[in-house]
Amino acid sequence: MSIVSYENLKKIMFKLEPENAHAVAGLSLQFIGSCPPLFNYMTKRNYIESDMLKQKIFGVEFANPIGLGAGFDKNAQYVKAMPALGFGYTEVGTVTPKPQPGNEKPRLFRLIEDKSLQNAMGFNNKGSYYMVQKLKKLKFFCYPIGINIGKNKTTPESEALKDYETLFRAFKEYGAYMVINISSPNTPGLRDLQNESFINEVFKIGKSITNKPILLKIAPDMSTTQAIELCKIAVEAGADGIIATNTTIDYSLTPHAKDFGGISGELLKEKSFEIFDAIAKELYGKTLLISVGGISDAKEAYRRIKAGASLLQIYSALIYKGPSLIRDINSELIKLLKADGFKHISEAIGANR
Ligand SMILES: Cc1cc2nc3c(=O)[nH]c(=O)nc-3n(C[C@H](O)[C@H](O)[C@H](O)COP(=O)(O)O)c2cc1C
């Protein structure tokens, strides 16, 4: 039994504007992170520690494969609470070199009938200096953190490379991996950087600055052929992994959609899987694959794992299903692995390839 059921809490939270609800959740997470008795209680409940799910990736131990997707913790303010929610790792950001306010509000919407979200946040964040200070404080917190980086809105496309260079330098000593985000639909022109020459250059610069693994996060709004091509280019340019996918701008998925921003959650599920599966067909075994987009239960998580995902991420389903979700998925995953005769998650990763 939980202290308060999430279904009841959700009734209150969903009465708030989505961004206000996010702020309340953020404050609660900061409290959890700074209150050892509560942190320990929740971590014991939610953080599944099983040898079947543990993996060493990039030289770092991931207790389970489910991570928090980028965009929830844009400034690395909630990292300490993440084990209490059950997450095996967390991806912070997207962080830009300079602080920026993001797009005009309202810019975050619940598509309740569709169990989805739509956002046009536009990388609202406190900038790289602020995040570095936060990460410094986490130096002795042994927990895998991915750092998702993006360019400032006011930086012209022709100078985008410089922004990424600044960010590689700022974060070169922090986290388990970095992610180049050129797939958000909410920064004008950003997705245009999903091209061969930019990808080649950005990895060349990144690799010359840091030894940390660098991954590419891609959008779902392209053909599978295009996605495969881009990911192959990235891997040849030195990418250590691919994260697929970001949110979609396919507003035909629902009559409830706004005509701006990116859709995540249930509506994104099949599109995200299709792109992931196509990429995995080509790149499974050649690079690390992370699947994100519409994952909300163990069945879907397992499908992505068998398709080739070593790690997964979740954002929207956390809002709809609450903090017991990650524990439920992980414990169910263990059952699914056992039912298929697998002794360790690594035996299931790519089993369908
Ligand atoms: C409100 C919101 C903000 C997001 N911000 C970012 C971001 O800053 N950077 C990023 O790479 N992805 C961002 N995303 C995308 C998520 O990381 C994820 O790729 C996407 O939501 C699909 O996963 P989901 O269906 O589990 O939500 C954001 C998503 C949401 C809902």
Side-chain angles (χ1 to χ4, degrees):
M1 279 283 288
S2 322
I3 301 171
V4 185
S5 93
Y6 187 69
E7 279 311 309
N8 284 332
L9 191 63
K10 200 166 90 175
K11 279 185 198 138
I12 302 167
M13 292 292 264
F14 275 29
K15 287 210 169 83
L16 301 175
E17 281 293 310
E19 273 204 62
N20 293 339
H22 186 82
V24 171
L27 286 175
S28 315
L29 289 171
Q30 279 174 323
F31 179 68
I32 292 166
S34 63
C35 175
L38 184 57
F39 174 84
N40 292 339
Y41 168 77
M42 287 185 70
T43 302
K44 210 168 157 207
R45 258 180 81 80
N46 294 330
Y47 193 61
I48 305 269
E49 296 213 60
S50 150
D51 285 343
M52 288 185 82
L53 296 182
K54 242 179 234 163
Q55 300 180 78
K56 199 157 200 176
I57 293 173
F58 304 140
V60 177
E61 191 159 286
F62 288 66
N64 69 65
I66 318 287
L68 176 67
F72 187 94
D73 189 1
K74 291 191 183 268
N75 303 301
Q77 289 166 298
Y78 317 132
V79 177
K80 275 187 116 173
M82 287 308 139
L85 295 191
F87 285 108
Y89 70 109
T90 185
E91 192 169 301
V92 297
T94 296
V95 58
T96 54
K98 288 179 276 176
Q100 62 178 31
N103 295 327
E104 259 179 50
K105 293 180 187 174
R107 55 192 179 177
L108 177 56
F109 309 91
R110 301 182 189 100
L111 308 178
I112 295 179
E113 300 89 334
D114 301 309
K115 298 191 183 85
S116 297
L117 298 174
Q118 187 161 358
N119 92 85
M121 304 301 286
F123 297 166
N124 54 310
N125 79 104
K126 298 180 191 229
S128 57
Y129 179 79
Y130 180 93
M131 190 185 280
V132 166
Q133 304 316 307
K134 284 282 168 198
L135 294 175
K136 271 186 185 158
K137 289 192 186 137
L138 292 166
K139 207 169 158 193
F140 298 108
F141 188 61
C142 292
Y143 189 70
I145 303 173
I147 303 168
N148 182 308
I149 59 174
K151 77 168 197 68
N152 276 114
K153 185 178 181 179
T154 51
T155 304
E157 250 175 83
S158 56
E159 284 170 38
L161 211 49
K162 279 197 196 137
D163 271 12
Y164 288 92
E165 182 177 350
T166 305
L167 293 159
F168 287 130
R169 286 194 201 288
F171 295 108
K172 65 180 186 178
E173 288 164 26
Y174 300 97
Y177 67 86
M178 275 191 234
V179 186
I180 298 167
N181 182 4
I182 44 176
S183 52
S184 163
N186 301 317
T187 297
L190 188 79
R191 283 184 169 188
D192 297 341
L193 301 176
Q194 296 185 128
N195 66 64
E196 178 166 5
S197 107
F198 187 81
I199 290 176
N200 274 324
E201 287 181 75
V202 79
F203 276 99
K204 195 167 149 202
I205 289 201
K207 289 282 158 188
S208 72
I209 294 173
T210 177
N211 293 325
K212 294 277 179 193
I214 307 175
L215 285 71
L216 179 71
K217 183 167 177 178
I218 66 153
D221 302 305
M222 58 181 113
S223 68
T224 50
T225 320
Q226 266 177 310
I228 292 168
E229 207 43 49
L230 280 182
C231 293
K232 274 184 166 170
I233 290 166
V235 171
E236 271 159 36
D240 297 281
I242 301 292
I243 304 185
T245 67
N246 213 313
T247 55
T248 177
I249 52 166
D250 181 355
Y251 307 131
S252 70
L253 287 168
T254 173
H256 310 117
K258 309 270 170 208
D259 59 0
F260 60 99
I263 298 172
S264 57
E266 195 65 29
L267 289 168
L268 174 62
K269 182 160 84 179
E270 287 310 316
K271 199 181 259 287
S272 167
F273 178 78
E274 191 192 332
I275 295 265
F276 179 81
D277 194 48
I279 294 166
K281 248 179 219 148
E282 289 288 323
L283 290 177
Y284 168 70
K286 298 190 180 125
T287 195
L288 186 97
L289 301 173
I290 301 182
S291 184
V292 50
I295 301 170
S296 68
D297 57 27
K299 195 170 142 245
E300 187 60 25
Y302 199 44
R303 178 160 80 134
R304 310 282 175 118
I305 289 168
K306 289 208 281 191
S310 294
L311 295 171
L312 309 167
Q313 294 179 352
I314 288 179
Y315 186 147
S316 304
L318 183 67
I319 312 302
Y320 284 96
K321 293 195 162 172
S324 59
L325 173 68
I326 310 307
R327 177 198 61 201
D328 293 348
I329 292 183
N330 278 321
S331 43
E332 191 62 29
L333 265 181
I334 292 171
K335 285 188 200 150
L336 291 168
L337 288 169
K338 282 184 183 161
D340 280 348
F342 296 127
K343 292 194 171 58
H344 188 258
I345 184 172
S346 57
E347 296 167 27
I349 295 168
N352 284 355
R353 295 270 71 100

PDB file of all heavy atoms in Angstrom, residues 56-83:
ATOM      1  N   LYS A  56      26.751  -3.424 -17.031  1.00  0.00           N
ATOM      2  CA  LYS A  56      27.836  -2.449 -17.047  1.00  0.00           C
ATOM      3  C   LYS A  56      27.885  -1.879 -18.462  1.00  0.00           C
ATOM      4  O   LYS A  56      28.110  -2.615 -19.437  1.00  0.00           O
ATOM      5  CB  LYS A  56      29.151  -3.121 -16.677  1.00  0.00           C
ATOM      6  CG  LYS A  56      30.163  -2.101 -16.228  1.00  0.00           C
ATOM      7  CD  LYS A  56      31.215  -2.743 -15.345  1.00  0.00           C
ATOM      8  CE  LYS A  56      31.889  -1.651 -14.529  1.00  0.00           C
ATOM      9  NZ  LYS A  56      32.839  -2.154 -13.598  1.00  0.00           N
ATOM     10  N   ILE A  57      27.637  -0.595 -18.546  1.00  0.00           N
ATOM     11  CA  ILE A  57      27.612   0.062 -19.858  1.00  0.00           C
ATOM     12  C   ILE A  57      28.490   1.304 -19.762  1.00  0.00           C
ATOM     13  O   ILE A  57      28.386   2.055 -18.794  1.00  0.00           O
ATOM     14  CB  ILE A  57      26.157   0.441 -20.239  1.00  0.00           C
ATOM     15  CG1 ILE A  57      25.343  -0.843 -20.469  1.00  0.00           C
ATOM     16  CG2 ILE A  57      26.112   1.331 -21.468  1.00  0.00           C
ATOM     17  CD1 ILE A  57      23.875  -0.625 -20.694  1.00  0.00           C
ATOM     18  N   PHE A  58      29.327   1.511 -20.747  1.00  0.00           N
ATOM     19  CA  PHE A  58      30.266   2.645 -20.719  1.00  0.00           C
ATOM     20  C   PHE A  58      31.096   2.620 -19.427  1.00  0.00           C
ATOM     21  O   PHE A  58      31.412   3.668 -18.854  1.00  0.00           O
ATOM     22  CB  PHE A  58      29.534   3.995 -20.822  1.00  0.00           C
ATOM     23  CG  PHE A  58      28.642   4.140 -22.024  1.00  0.00           C
ATOM     24  CD1 PHE A  58      27.397   4.773 -21.927  1.00  0.00           C
ATOM     25  CD2 PHE A  58      29.031   3.684 -23.283  1.00  0.00           C
ATOM     26  CE1 PHE A  58      26.572   4.935 -23.037  1.00  0.00           C
ATOM     27  CE2 PHE A  58      28.204   3.839 -24.390  1.00  0.00           C
ATOM     28  CZ  PHE A  58      26.975   4.464 -24.264  1.00  0.00           C
ATOM     29  N   GLY A  59      31.356   1.424 -18.911  1.00  0.00           N
ATOM     30  CA  GLY A  59      32.163   1.300 -17.691  1.00  0.00           C
ATOM     31  C   GLY A  59      31.423   1.668 -16.418  1.00  0.00           C
ATOM     32  O   GLY A  59      32.015   1.749 -15.345  1.00  0.00           O
ATOM     33  N   VAL A  60      30.116   1.875 -16.536  1.00  0.00           N
ATOM     34  CA  VAL A  60      29.323   2.316 -15.375  1.00  0.00           C
ATOM     35  C   VAL A  60      28.232   1.280 -15.105  1.00  0.00           C
ATOM     36  O   VAL A  60      27.675   0.696 -16.043  1.00  0.00           O
ATOM     37  CB  VAL A  60      28.646   3.683 -15.691  1.00  0.00           C
ATOM     38  CG1 VAL A  60      27.758   4.135 -14.541  1.00  0.00           C
ATOM     39  CG2 VAL A  60      29.687   4.732 -16.003  1.00  0.00           C
ATOM     40  N   GLU A  61      27.917   1.059 -13.821  1.00  0.00           N
ATOM     41  CA  GLU A  61      26.875   0.083 -13.514  1.00  0.00           C
ATOM     42  C   GLU A  61      25.481   0.708 -13.558  1.00  0.00           C
ATOM     43  O   GLU A  61      25.222   1.714 -12.892  1.00  0.00           O
ATOM     44  CB  GLU A  61      27.122  -0.529 -12.145  1.00  0.00           C
ATOM     45  CG  GLU A  61      26.211  -1.728 -11.943  1.00  0.00           C
ATOM     46  CD  GLU A  61      26.728  -2.660 -10.878  1.00  0.00           C
ATOM     47  OE1 GLU A  61      27.710  -3.370 -11.161  1.00  0.00           O
ATOM     48  OE2 GLU A  61      26.164  -2.638  -9.775  1.00  0.00           O
ATOM     49  N   PHE A  62      24.597   0.110 -14.349  1.00  0.00           N
ATOM     50  CA  PHE A  62      23.192   0.515 -14.419  1.00  0.00           C
ATOM     51  C   PHE A  62      22.395  -0.579 -13.694  1.00  0.00           C
ATOM     52  O   PHE A  62      22.363  -1.722 -14.147  1.00  0.00           O
ATOM     53  CB  PHE A  62      22.721   0.609 -15.882  1.00  0.00           C
ATOM     54  CG  PHE A  62      23.276   1.782 -16.638  1.00  0.00           C
ATOM     55  CD1 PHE A  62      24.632   1.882 -16.926  1.00  0.00           C
ATOM     56  CD2 PHE A  62      22.430   2.800 -17.094  1.00  0.00           C
ATOM     57  CE1 PHE A  62      25.148   2.971 -17.630  1.00  0.00           C
ATOM     58  CE2 PHE A  62      22.931   3.893 -17.794  1.00  0.00           C
ATOM     59  CZ  PHE A  62      24.294   3.979 -18.062  1.00  0.00           C
ATOM     60  N   ALA A  63      21.748  -0.227 -12.581  1.00  0.00           N
ATOM     61  CA  ALA A  63      21.045  -1.238 -11.780  1.00  0.00           C
ATOM     62  C   ALA A  63      19.863  -1.836 -12.534  1.00  0.00           C
ATOM     63  O   ALA A  63      19.516  -2.996 -12.350  1.00  0.00           O
ATOM     64  CB  ALA A  63      20.562  -0.622 -10.469  1.00  0.00           C
ATOM     65  N   ASN A  64      19.231  -1.055 -13.355  1.00  0.00           N
ATOM     66  CA  ASN A  64      18.154  -1.575 -14.205  1.00  0.00           C
ATOM     67  C   ASN A  64      18.102  -0.737 -15.483  1.00  0.00           C
ATOM     68  O   ASN A  64      18.707   0.334 -15.550  1.00  0.00           O
ATOM     69  CB  ASN A  64      16.810  -1.583 -13.443  1.00  0.00           C
ATOM     70  CG  ASN A  64      16.270  -0.187 -13.174  1.00  0.00           C
ATOM     71  OD1 ASN A  64      15.919   0.548 -14.097  1.00  0.00           O
ATOM     72  ND2 ASN A  64      16.208   0.200 -11.898  1.00  0.00           N
ATOM     73  N   PRO A  65      17.395  -1.231 -16.521  1.00  0.00           N
ATOM     74  CA  PRO A  65      17.504  -0.570 -17.832  1.00  0.00           C
ATOM     75  C   PRO A  65      16.608   0.653 -18.027  1.00  0.00           C
ATOM     76  O   PRO A  65      16.655   1.287 -19.084  1.00  0.00           O
ATOM     77  CB  PRO A  65      17.086  -1.679 -18.807  1.00  0.00           C
ATOM     78  CG  PRO A  65      16.127  -2.502 -18.024  1.00  0.00           C
ATOM     79  CD  PRO A  65      16.604  -2.470 -16.600  1.00  0.00           C
ATOM     80  N   ILE A  66      15.784   0.988 -17.036  1.00  0.00           N
ATOM     81  CA  ILE A  66      14.807   2.064 -17.243  1.00  0.00           C
ATOM     82  C   ILE A  66      15.342   3.395 -16.724  1.00  0.00           C
ATOM     83  O   ILE A  66      15.559   3.569 -15.519  1.00  0.00           O
ATOM     84  CB  ILE A  66      13.457   1.774 -16.535  1.00  0.00           C
ATOM     85  CG1 ILE A  66      13.018   0.318 -16.701  1.00  0.00           C
ATOM     86  CG2 ILE A  66      12.391   2.749 -17.026  1.00  0.00           C
ATOM     87  CD1 ILE A  66      12.523  -0.069 -18.048  1.00  0.00           C
ATOM     88  N   GLY A  67      15.487   4.363 -17.638  1.00  0.00           N
ATOM     89  CA  GLY A  67      15.972   5.687 -17.270  1.00  0.00           C
ATOM     90  C   GLY A  67      14.893   6.746 -17.461  1.00  0.00           C
ATOM     91  O   GLY A  67      13.889   6.524 -18.150  1.00  0.00           O
ATOM     92  N   LEU A  68      15.111   7.887 -16.831  1.00  0.00           N
ATOM     93  CA  LEU A  68      14.198   9.019 -17.029  1.00  0.00           C
ATOM     94  C   LEU A  68      14.627   9.762 -18.295  1.00  0.00           C
ATOM     95  O   LEU A  68      15.797  10.133 -18.445  1.00  0.00           O
ATOM     96  CB  LEU A  68      14.272   9.971 -15.831  1.00  0.00           C
ATOM     97  CG  LEU A  68      13.432  11.250 -15.955  1.00  0.00           C
ATOM     98  CD1 LEU A  68      11.929  10.924 -15.951  1.00  0.00           C
ATOM     99  CD2 LEU A  68      13.738  12.224 -14.826  1.00  0.00           C
ATOM    100  N   GLY A  69      13.688   9.966 -19.223  1.00  0.00           N
ATOM    101  CA  GLY A  69      13.980  10.655 -20.487  1.00  0.00           C
ATOM    102  C   GLY A  69      14.331  12.123 -20.265  1.00  0.00           C
ATOM    103  O   GLY A  69      13.925  12.738 -19.270  1.00  0.00           O
ATOM    104  N   ALA A  70      15.086  12.671 -21.199  1.00  0.00           N
ATOM    105  CA  ALA A  70      15.487  14.080 -21.101  1.00  0.00           C
ATOM    106  C   ALA A  70      14.272  14.996 -21.106  1.00  0.00           C
ATOM    107  O   ALA A  70      13.237  14.682 -21.689  1.00  0.00           O
ATOM    108  CB  ALA A  70      16.395  14.432 -22.269  1.00  0.00           C
ATOM    109  N   GLY A  71      14.416  16.147 -20.462  1.00  0.00           N
ATOM    110  CA  GLY A  71      13.374  17.167 -20.503  1.00  0.00           C
ATOM    111  C   GLY A  71      12.605  17.287 -19.206  1.00  0.00           C
ATOM    112  O   GLY A  71      11.987  18.314 -18.936  1.00  0.00           O
ATOM    113  N   PHE A  72      12.644  16.227 -18.385  1.00  0.00           N
ATOM    114  CA  PHE A  72      11.947  16.298 -17.094  1.00  0.00           C
ATOM    115  C   PHE A  72      12.810  17.071 -16.105  1.00  0.00           C
ATOM    116  O   PHE A  72      12.321  17.919 -15.366  1.00  0.00           O
ATOM    117  CB  PHE A  72      11.668  14.885 -16.569  1.00  0.00           C
ATOM    118  CG  PHE A  72      10.806  14.865 -15.338  1.00  0.00           C
ATOM    119  CD1 PHE A  72       9.425  14.713 -15.446  1.00  0.00           C
ATOM    120  CD2 PHE A  72      11.349  15.028 -14.068  1.00  0.00           C
ATOM    121  CE1 PHE A  72       8.624  14.719 -14.319  1.00  0.00           C
ATOM    122  CE2 PHE A  72      10.559  15.034 -12.941  1.00  0.00           C
ATOM    123  CZ  PHE A  72       9.188  14.876 -13.064  1.00  0.00           C
ATOM    124  N   ASP A  73      14.097  16.759 -16.111  1.00  0.00           N
ATOM    125  CA  ASP A  73      15.032  17.401 -15.180  1.00  0.00           C
ATOM    126  C   ASP A  73      16.030  18.220 -15.999  1.00  0.00           C
ATOM    127  O   ASP A  73      17.179  17.829 -16.181  1.00  0.00           O
ATOM    128  CB  ASP A  73      15.739  16.322 -14.346  1.00  0.00           C
ATOM    129  CG  ASP A  73      16.567  16.924 -13.219  1.00  0.00           C
ATOM    130  OD1 ASP A  73      16.576  18.166 -13.083  1.00  0.00           O
ATOM    131  OD2 ASP A  73      17.213  16.158 -12.486  1.00  0.00           O
ATOM    132  N   LYS A  74      15.570  19.355 -16.461  1.00  0.00           N
ATOM    133  CA  LYS A  74      16.358  20.130 -17.423  1.00  0.00           C
ATOM    134  C   LYS A  74      17.625  20.720 -16.823  1.00  0.00           C
ATOM    135  O   LYS A  74      18.572  21.041 -17.521  1.00  0.00           O
ATOM    136  CB  LYS A  74      15.509  21.250 -18.018  1.00  0.00           C
ATOM    137  CG  LYS A  74      14.417  20.694 -18.934  1.00  0.00           C
ATOM    138  CD  LYS A  74      13.739  21.771 -19.733  1.00  0.00           C
ATOM    139  CE  LYS A  74      12.607  21.204 -20.578  1.00  0.00           C
ATOM    140  NZ  LYS A  74      12.994  20.821 -21.919  1.00  0.00           N
ATOM    141  N   ASN A  75      17.648  20.865 -15.480  1.00  0.00           N
ATOM    142  CA  ASN A  75      18.780  21.536 -14.826  1.00  0.00           C
ATOM    143  C   ASN A  75      19.508  20.657 -13.807  1.00  0.00           C
ATOM    144  O   ASN A  75      20.223  21.180 -12.955  1.00  0.00           O
ATOM    145  CB  ASN A  75      18.278  22.804 -14.116  1.00  0.00           C
ATOM    146  CG  ASN A  75      17.582  23.737 -15.076  1.00  0.00           C
ATOM    147  OD1 ASN A  75      18.182  24.183 -16.045  1.00  0.00           O
ATOM    148  ND2 ASN A  75      16.298  24.003 -14.843  1.00  0.00           N
ATOM    149  N   ALA A  76      19.290  19.361 -13.871  1.00  0.00           N
ATOM    150  CA  ALA A  76      19.929  18.421 -12.928  1.00  0.00           C
ATOM    151  C   ALA A  76      19.618  18.779 -11.472  1.00  0.00           C
ATOM    152  O   ALA A  76      20.484  18.746 -10.615  1.00  0.00           O
ATOM    153  CB  ALA A  76      21.449  18.351 -13.159  1.00  0.00           C
ATOM    154  N   GLN A  77      18.348  19.086 -11.212  1.00  0.00           N
ATOM    155  CA  GLN A  77      17.942  19.464  -9.850  1.00  0.00           C
ATOM    156  C   GLN A  77      17.327  18.297  -9.069  1.00  0.00           C
ATOM    157  O   GLN A  77      17.151  18.403  -7.862  1.00  0.00           O
ATOM    158  CB  GLN A  77      16.908  20.594  -9.919  1.00  0.00           C
ATOM    159  CG  GLN A  77      17.507  21.921 -10.356  1.00  0.00           C
ATOM    160  CD  GLN A  77      16.427  22.923 -10.742  1.00  0.00           C
ATOM    161  OE1 GLN A  77      15.661  22.713 -11.678  1.00  0.00           O
ATOM    162  NE2 GLN A  77      16.361  24.015 -10.004  1.00  0.00           N
ATOM    163  N   TYR A  78      16.950  17.232  -9.811  1.00  0.00           N
ATOM    164  CA  TYR A  78      16.195  16.160  -9.144  1.00  0.00           C
ATOM    165  C   TYR A  78      16.928  14.824  -9.143  1.00  0.00           C
ATOM    166  O   TYR A  78      16.344  13.797  -8.772  1.00  0.00           O
ATOM    167  CB  TYR A  78      14.818  15.970  -9.822  1.00  0.00           C
ATOM    168  CG  TYR A  78      14.108  17.250 -10.169  1.00  0.00           C
ATOM    169  CD1 TYR A  78      13.544  17.444 -11.430  1.00  0.00           C
ATOM    170  CD2 TYR A  78      13.997  18.272  -9.232  1.00  0.00           C
ATOM    171  CE1 TYR A  78      12.897  18.622 -11.757  1.00  0.00           C
ATOM    172  CE2 TYR A  78      13.350  19.462  -9.548  1.00  0.00           C
ATOM    173  CZ  TYR A  78      12.803  19.631 -10.816  1.00  0.00           C
ATOM    174  OH  TYR A  78      12.164  20.790 -11.131  1.00  0.00           O
ATOM    175  N   VAL A  79      18.176  14.838  -9.566  1.00  0.00           N
ATOM    176  CA  VAL A  79      18.904  13.575  -9.768  1.00  0.00           C
ATOM    177  C   VAL A  79      18.898  12.701  -8.516  1.00  0.00           C
ATOM    178  O   VAL A  79      18.699  11.489  -8.592  1.00  0.00           O
ATOM    179  CB  VAL A  79      20.360  13.855 -10.212  1.00  0.00           C
ATOM    180  CG1 VAL A  79      21.139  12.556 -10.354  1.00  0.00           C
ATOM    181  CG2 VAL A  79      20.379  14.640 -11.515  1.00  0.00           C
ATOM    182  N   LYS A  80      19.090  13.334  -7.368  1.00  0.00           N
ATOM    183  CA  LYS A  80      19.228  12.551  -6.134  1.00  0.00           C
ATOM    184  C   LYS A  80      17.974  11.761  -5.778  1.00  0.00           C
ATOM    185  O   LYS A  80      18.040  10.790  -5.024  1.00  0.00           O
ATOM    186  CB  LYS A  80      19.615  13.475  -4.967  1.00  0.00           C
ATOM    187  CG  LYS A  80      21.113  13.696  -4.911  1.00  0.00           C
ATOM    188  CD  LYS A  80      21.504  14.451  -3.695  1.00  0.00           C
ATOM    189  CE  LYS A  80      22.360  13.628  -2.792  1.00  0.00           C
ATOM    190  NZ  LYS A  80      22.879  14.453  -1.681  1.00  0.00           N
ATOM    191  N   ALA A  81      16.834  12.170  -6.316  1.00  0.00           N
ATOM    192  CA  ALA A  81      15.590  11.459  -5.991  1.00  0.00           C
ATOM    193  C   ALA A  81      15.311  10.297  -6.947  1.00  0.00           C
ATOM    194  O   ALA A  81      14.390   9.511  -6.711  1.00  0.00           O
ATOM    195  CB  ALA A  81      14.421  12.433  -6.030  1.00  0.00           C
ATOM    196  N   MET A  82      16.085  10.194  -8.018  1.00  0.00           N
ATOM    197  CA  MET A  82      15.721   9.238  -9.054  1.00  0.00           C
ATOM    198  C   MET A  82      15.728   7.767  -8.636  1.00  0.00           C
ATOM    199  O   MET A  82      14.843   7.015  -9.030  1.00  0.00           O
ATOM    200  CB  MET A  82      16.578   9.462 -10.316  1.00  0.00           C
ATOM    201  CG  MET A  82      16.163  10.707 -11.064  1.00  0.00           C
ATOM    202  SD  MET A  82      14.382  10.697 -11.376  1.00  0.00           S
ATOM    203  CE  MET A  82      13.973  12.395 -11.046  1.00  0.00           C
ATOM    204  N   PRO A  83      16.703   7.328  -7.807  1.00  0.00           N
ATOM    205  CA  PRO A  83      16.615   5.936  -7.338  1.00  0.00           C
ATOM    206  C   PRO A  83      15.327   5.699  -6.535  1.00  0.00           C
ATOM    207  O   PRO A  83      14.768   4.610  -6.566  1.00  0.00           O
ATOM    208  CB  PRO A  83      17.855   5.775  -6.449  1.00  0.00           C
ATOM    209  CG  PRO A  83      18.793   6.859  -6.868  1.00  0.00           C
ATOM    210  CD  PRO A  83      17.937   7.996  -7.332  1.00  0.00           C
TER     211      PRO A  83
END
